[in-house]
């Protein structure tokens, strides 16, 4: 299964929050700080993120092969709030949008009601596509604090090397401890 971002999330940590955390009052470094917030968030969020979950509300699309005609599809990157659409290719490879009454979302699973509408579909690569909305309406405090701590590290250590040692700056133990309960291992 491949997951693509259809609609990316809005920033989950605002510039004002980051500046307050850094104790920056002027506007000269706003662009730099916004970039650091974006970098820290992207490191954690969505299909490429370390956490294995969606942080801000976003629309994702799961693209599956239909070699086994699944009646249960487990979606990735919780929390999942809704399914926007299920589309599959028919035998002529024409896209068909499944009737929402033929499936339901239970937790992270899209479950076919009765025989899957896509049971007689074309069984090629990415023949089934499930669009869904995932992410937090209100970001949990530990994740917000972890992003702010990461921004603080990036702000304090703007260079990739220091005169003392040429080592990269890893995720701190504190940040990892805050994030570990939210990490999804697949």
């Amino acid at each position: 299964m491949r997951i693509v971002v259809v609609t990316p999330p809005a920033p989950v940590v605002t510039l004002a929050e980051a500046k307050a955390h850094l104790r920056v009052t002027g506007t000269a470094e706003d662009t730099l700080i916004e970039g650091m917030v974006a970098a820290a968030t992207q490191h954690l969020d969505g299909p490429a993120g370390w956490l294995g979950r969606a942080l801000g509300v976003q629309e994702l699309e799961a693209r599956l092969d239909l070699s086994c005609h699944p009646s249960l599809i487990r979606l990735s990157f919780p929390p999942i709030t809704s399914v926007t659409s299920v589309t599959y290719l028919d035998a002529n490879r024409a896209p068909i949008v499944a009737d929402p009454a033929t499936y339901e979302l239970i937790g992270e699973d899209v479950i076919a009601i009765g025989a899957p509408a896509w049971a007689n579909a074309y069984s090629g690569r990415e023949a089934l596509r499930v669009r869904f909305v995932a992410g937090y309406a209100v970001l949990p405090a530990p994740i917000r604090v972890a992003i702010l701590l990461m921004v603080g590290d990036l702000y304090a250590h703007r260079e990739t090397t220091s005169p003392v040692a040429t080592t990269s700056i890893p995720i701190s133990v504190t940040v990892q401890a805050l994030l570990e309960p939210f990490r999804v291992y697949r």
Side-chain angles (χ1 to χ4, degrees), residues 72-144:
L72 181 143
I73 302 162
R74 170 128 321 141
L75 299 174
S76 301
F77 307 103
I80 297 159
T81 57
S82 64
V83 172
T84 307
S85 67
V86 175
T87 306
Y88 59 94
L89 301 179
D90 69 10
N92 297 319
R93 298 184 187 175
I96 306 292
V97 178
D99 180 351
T102 63
Y103 61 85
E104 67 179 306
L105 176 67
I106 299 177
E108 297 175 23
D109 299 328
V110 176
I111 300 171
I113 298 171
W118 48 89
N120 295 319
Y122 169 71
S123 62
R125 291 190 51 79
E126 298 186 349
L128 178 64
R129 297 183 178 201
V130 180
R131 282 200 179 188
F132 60 100
V133 177
Y136 295 99
V138 177
L139 192 66
I143 297 174
R144 180 176 308 286

Side-chain angles (χ1 to χ4, degrees), residues 22-35:
L22 299 171
R23 296 188 178 114
V24 172
T25 56
T27 60
E29 295 183 311
D30 284 3
T31 302
L32 173 70
I33 295 167
E34 285 176 326

Side-chain angles (χ1 to χ4, degrees), residues 13-24 30 33-34 37 148:
V13 171
T14 67
L15 174 62
E17 289 172 308
K19 286 175 71 172
H21 174 75
L22 299 171
R23 296 188 178 114
V24 172
D30 284 3
I33 295 167
E34 285 176 326
V37 169
L148 289 170

